[in-house]
Amino acid sequence: MSTQTANTVQTHLRPIDRDGLLGFAEKGRNNPQARGTNKVHTVCEGQYRTLSYVGDHEAVVVDEPLHLFGQNTAPAPGEIVLSALGGCLAVGITAVATWKNVKLSRLELFLEGDIGNSAAWGAGGAHRIPSQMGFQEIRVRVLVEGDADREALDEIVQQANYFSPVANSMRNPIAFDIALAE
């Protein structure tokens, strides 16, 4: 009588360069005050539709839905913000998993944000102070699978959240300057 062992084929997500990640981390340890600069050039086409150019990539299109007087041709600004948060968290989860030698087979993030705009962008709506506008609450649920147990995967997610540049930009006050261009 022969015994057959079932083989489970597991597909993993495309990995990042672990050695490159470790080198990047070392640079950060050696110079914790280092900063990079992100640059975007945004052009308004009319109504609320804008094109934002980042490097040599296709433009990121932003619009507002019809009920907010846009054309509904693209995601709204708040949805783009949530997209940036989801992308940043996914980067962090991938990086932390790679650092911990955990191979991920699935990673999906579901984001929701409750946003306040009763001030109507400052165009005669309710009088509000800055802390009463914008996202008032954000919820993120992470579906992650890999070659680690649920507790280890949760630790990876929590560590990525703690160190996420975008999440921390949203949680913490930022020096902000806006002025007319020369």
Side-chain angles (χ1 to χ4, degrees):
M1 180 176 195
S2 88
T3 309
Q4 290 185 345
T5 305
N7 289 330
T8 303
V9 177
Q10 182 69 48
T11 305
H12 295 106
L13 298 176
R14 187 174 54 252
I16 62 171
D17 174 7
R18 187 171 194 278
D19 291 336
L21 174 67
L22 297 177
F24 183 72
E26 182 178 359
K27 285 181 186 176
R29 282 191 309 276
N30 292 338
N31 186 5
Q33 301 305 316
R35 293 181 178 179
T37 300
N38 290 196
K39 295 183 179 185
V40 176
H41 175 213
T42 300
V43 178
C44 185
E45 287 189 327
Q47 285 182 278
Y48 291 136
R49 185 178 160 89
T50 61
L51 304 174
S52 291
Y53 298 94
V54 182
D56 60 359
H57 301 286
E58 292 290 323
V60 176
V61 182
V62 177
D63 200 351
E64 288 283 6
L66 297 173
H67 75 277
L68 293 177
F69 321 109
Q71 301 171 68
N72 200 34
T73 62
E79 294 164 333
I80 296 294
V81 168
L82 290 177
S83 297
L85 175 60
C88 189
L89 290 169
V91 165
I93 292 165
T94 300
V96 174
T98 299
W99 177 57
K100 292 182 175 245
N101 285 312
V102 172
K103 291 185 176 120
L104 300 180
S105 53
R106 186 173 186 187
L107 178 56
E108 297 180 28
L109 292 86
F110 302 88
L111 299 94
E112 296 180 340
D114 302 330
I115 195 165
N117 188 20
S118 59
W121 307 283
H127 177 73
R128 308 299 281 169
I129 59 172
S131 64
Q132 297 169 320
M133 295 178 284
F135 284 110
Q136 300 300 297
E137 184 177 337
I138 294 175
R139 295 169 296 284
V140 180
R141 297 298 172 258
V142 180
L143 176 58
V144 60
E145 297 173 1
D147 61 1
D149 63 26
R150 186 170 172 83
E151 182 180 331
L153 292 171
D154 184 57
E155 287 175 12
I156 289 168
V157 168
Q158 296 309 319
Q159 184 163 337
N161 173 49
Y162 181 85
F163 288 100
S164 166
V166 173
N168 283 305
S169 293
M170 297 171 83
R171 283 190 283 260
N172 301 306
I174 305 169
F176 192 97
D177 177 55
I178 186 168
L180 296 179
E182 298 289 321

